[in-house]
């Protein structure tokens, strides 16, 4: 197991819920990452939901953007949810907003429209230890395309909602709201295995 603490990017968004989920999932220590030097302390990083444009802008402003992208490219296990997924994506439909571009997907922001801003539904994953969970979607993005290296681990009406490409994992929904944090537990087990 990685001895380094788990990190949560805590510039904006629902990072507190992720910090709690990581603790519930067995992390012995969680660092709320707000400064460049903290990127060296962590063994994994969750990028929360929130507002992807604001998070990208703050990463830039605090001089963390390039360092974070480098650490991910060097193998830091990272898990982005919702806005976090958008920030990780290589392509964002109709937008030139700042993004890390380390996950070979095309996303559409706020793709489920105003009528169904938020909803929840059972999601069956291909991960045995996670199995079927309550997928909570809040102004969720939609993954329109995945590159050949991207593994799709769950779908909703045919759309990928949980994906993984090497050390980069991402969900369009909000697993931090699930009791027992099964998805975070799985993510930490990947991170501990050096994935
Ligand atoms: N709509 C937000 C964005 O585009 C994502 C929503 C969320 O993270 N709940 O950044």
């Amino acid at each position: 197991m990685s001895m380094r603490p788990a990190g949560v990017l805590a510039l904006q968004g629902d990072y507190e819920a992720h910090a709690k989920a990581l603790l519930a999932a067995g992390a012995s220590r969680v660092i709320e990452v707000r400064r460049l030097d903290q990127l060296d302390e962590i063994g994994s990083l969750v990028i929360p939901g929130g507002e992807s444009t604001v998070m990208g802008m703050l990463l830039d402003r605090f001089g963390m953007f390039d360092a974070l992208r480098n650490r991910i490219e060097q193998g830091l296990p990272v898990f982005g949810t919702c806005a976090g997924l958008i920030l990780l994506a290589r392509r964002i439909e109709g937008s030139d907003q700042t993004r890390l571009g380390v996950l070979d997907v095309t996303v559409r922001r706020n793709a489920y429209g105003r009528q169904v801003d938020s909803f929840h539904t059972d999601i069956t994953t291909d991960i045995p230890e996670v199995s079927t969970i309550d997928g909570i979607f809040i102004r969720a993005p939609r993954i329109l395309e995945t590159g050949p290296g991207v593994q799709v681990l769950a779908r909703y009406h045919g759309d990928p909602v949980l994906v993984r490409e090497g050390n980069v994992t991402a969900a369009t929904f909000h697993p931090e709201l699930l009791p027992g944090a099964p998805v975070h537990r799985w993510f930490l087990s990947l991170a501990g295995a050096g994935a």
Side-chain angles (χ1 to χ4, degrees):
M1 282 290 282
S2 158
M3 296 309 288
R4 291 187 178 200
V8 185
L9 189 65
L11 300 177
Q12 193 269 337
D14 76 333
Y15 54 84
E16 282 190 63
H18 279 284
K20 284 187 188 135
L22 285 166
L23 291 171
S28 47
R29 215 180 129 211
V30 177
I31 294 186
E32 294 191 355
V33 176
R34 296 192 177 85
R35 296 189 317 270
L36 181 61
D37 60 286
Q38 292 173 309
L39 289 176
D40 292 331
E41 295 173 38
I42 53 175
S44 61
L45 182 70
V46 170
I47 305 181
E51 194 51 47
S52 55
T53 49
V54 177
M55 255 188 275
M57 187 188 73
L58 292 175
L59 275 175
D60 234 358
R61 183 179 302 170
F62 299 147
M64 295 166 72
F65 188 83
D66 290 339
L68 176 55
R69 190 175 51 202
N70 289 342
R71 279 224 62 196
I72 297 171
E73 281 170 352
Q74 286 159 15
L76 177 73
V78 61
F79 181 26
T81 65
C82 207
L85 176 147
I86 297 166
L87 207 55
L88 291 168
R90 195 159 299 159
R91 294 168 300 278
I92 306 168
E93 191 185 55
S95 170
D96 61 1
Q97 70 187 78
T98 305
R99 86 286 309 260
L100 292 159
V102 292
L103 176 64
D104 188 9
V105 299
T106 306
V107 296
R108 176 181 294 163
R109 295 178 62 197
N110 303 321
Y112 295 95
R114 286 191 178 186
Q115 305 297 319
V116 281
D117 228 20
S118 304
F119 59 97
H120 69 114
T121 182
D122 275 359
I123 295 290
T124 299
T125 74
D126 289 345
I127 307 158
E129 61 268 43
V130 174
S131 187
T132 298
I133 50 172
D134 187 24
I136 301 161
F137 294 77
I138 304 169
R139 305 197 69 211
R142 185 170 159 200
I143 297 174
L144 303 176
E145 285 173 349
T146 54
V150 177
Q151 200 184 348
V152 177
L153 296 165
R155 292 181 188 270
Y156 166 67
H157 287 187
D159 295 333
V161 295
L162 179 62
V163 296
R164 185 168 173 226
E165 183 179 23
N167 56 309
V168 178
T169 303
T172 62
F173 57 95
H174 285 264
E176 71 280 13
L177 302 175
L178 297 176
V183 185
H184 290 71
R185 195 174 289 275
W186 165 73
F187 169 65
L188 285 178
S189 74
L190 293 178

